[in-house]
Amino acid sequence: MTHPSWILGIFLVYVATVHVHINSPPDPPCGGEPLCKALCTLRNYLNFTSRRTFMNYNFPINYTIRVHYEEILRFNNISQLKFSLPDLQEVDLQELWLEVNMEVLKKVLKVLPQKHPSYKYTSELEELFRKVQQVSNFQEKELPDQIQELLDNMKDPNTKMWKSVKPKALMDNCYRTMHCLFPHCFPTENKQADYCSVHYWKMNSKYPKNQEGSTSAVMKNDGQPPTRRGRK
């Protein structure tokens, strides 16, 4: 016989999910080119509820993975690259974004057993990134030396520059910087909107700030096997 508390718990989760969807404004339409369509599908998979469920709730509390410093791509990193490399083209940063996040997903999949509740979602994300790569023309262009050096460092297994970051924080970075670097794919009625601004995401967040996650926190439990665990 099902315990009443379990029924109540399931009901509350359902009500909360419905409430989020009802009160969340619809995502803006995507551009019509093949790259934008692929990114739009990726954006839908990276919605807040999925990031929170598959990259946070399905992991032990405060669980982190080790990534290269170059794999933590945020607005300030993009700004620094633009400032230090005046001739840097947008397409170079877009390819950097793609390569960084494909490496991040490889590291997430590496710690997940195939029966883990987040394995299928992460695998599907990885496949969507491959589709973005297929429809893009990134690989037809030679990257600037500084960007190529970042990518080489990121793939160096012998580097000593590692950082422990929550999986959801990495996917939050991915979602926001995607809008920043592909703004033409995500048009908005607000002509003053700046997807590359932290202020924009704070002002337009559909959810409380403390749910959005941050890559600034470095946790101590890196290396523990990820298992499903209830929330406190």
Side-chain angles (χ1 to χ4, degrees):
M1 182 176 179
T2 305
H3 196 281
S5 62
W6 281 98
I7 298 176
L8 177 61
I10 294 171
F11 174 74
L12 290 175
V13 169
Y14 170 78
V15 170
T17 304
V18 171
H19 176 77
V20 166
H21 285 288
I22 290 176
N23 289 279
S24 300
D27 288 319
C30 294
E33 63 182 87
L35 175 60
C36 289
K37 290 181 178 179
L39 288 169
C40 189
T41 303
L42 180 60
R43 179 194 66 180
N44 295 339
Y45 259 69
L46 283 170
N47 67 74
F48 176 83
T49 302
S50 294
R51 299 198 314 268
R52 180 178 58 179
T53 300
F54 296 107
M55 294 294 167
N56 187 19
Y57 285 179
N58 286 352
F59 285 82
I61 295 173
N62 290 335
Y63 182 82
T64 62
I65 61 173
R66 285 208 318 162
V67 296
H68 293 84
Y69 269 76
E70 291 82 4
E71 291 171 300
I72 306 173
L73 185 63
R74 294 179 288 189
F75 298 135
N76 62 324
N77 305 113
I78 294 172
S79 299
Q80 289 170 7
L81 286 170
K82 288 181 176 179
F83 179 78
S84 60
L85 304 171
D87 296 330
L88 189 65
Q89 297 183 19
E90 195 80 356
V91 67
D92 298 326
L93 289 169
Q94 291 171 350
E95 182 170 359
L96 176 65
W97 172 86
L98 180 64
E99 294 287 342
V100 162
N101 286 291
M102 290 182 76
E103 286 298 314
V104 165
L105 287 174
K106 286 180 183 177
K107 286 183 172 58
V108 175
L109 280 171
K110 190 174 181 180
V111 302
L112 293 177
Q114 288 192 4
K115 293 185 178 180
H116 189 276
S118 292
Y119 185 89
K120 183 174 183 292
Y121 171 79
T122 309
S123 298
E124 290 171 349
L125 271 181
E126 187 179 43
E127 181 60 30
L128 290 176
F129 269 96
R130 290 198 190 99
K131 290 181 179 178
V132 172
Q133 188 178 48
Q134 290 170 4
V135 299
S136 71
N137 59 354
F138 296 153
Q139 296 179 333
E140 298 176 4
K141 181 180 178 297
E142 187 175 348
L143 288 169
D145 292 341
Q146 294 89 336
I147 299 296
Q148 188 60 56
E149 183 179 357
L150 285 174
L151 293 177
D152 291 342
N153 292 340
M154 179 182 70
K155 297 178 182 180
D156 181 6
N158 298 317
T159 183
K160 295 181 180 179
M161 302 293 289
W162 296 91
K163 188 170 183 180
S164 296
V165 186
K166 294 179 181 179
K168 179 180 176 294
L170 293 165
M171 289 299 97
D172 287 345
N173 288 341
C174 172
Y175 181 85
R176 295 167 188 164
T177 51
M178 174 177 66
H179 286 74
C180 171
L181 295 173
F182 301 89
H184 64 288
C185 288
F186 308 106
T188 173
E189 294 180 358
N190 180 6
K191 302 301 181 182
Q192 304 300 318
D194 181 7
Y195 287 137
C196 297
S197 167
V198 175
H199 177 72
Y200 169 84
W201 293 99
K202 287 183 178 179
M203 294 299 294
N204 292 275
S205 176
K206 305 173 189 177
Y207 308 94
K209 182 179 177 182
N210 63 355
Q211 290 184 341
E212 282 295 316
S214 169
T215 58
S216 61
V218 179
M219 301 300 174
K220 297 180 180 179
N221 67 324
D222 182 47
Q224 295 180 1
T227 55
R228 192 164 189 168
R229 179 174 173 179
R231 306 298 293 171
K232 286 184 177 181

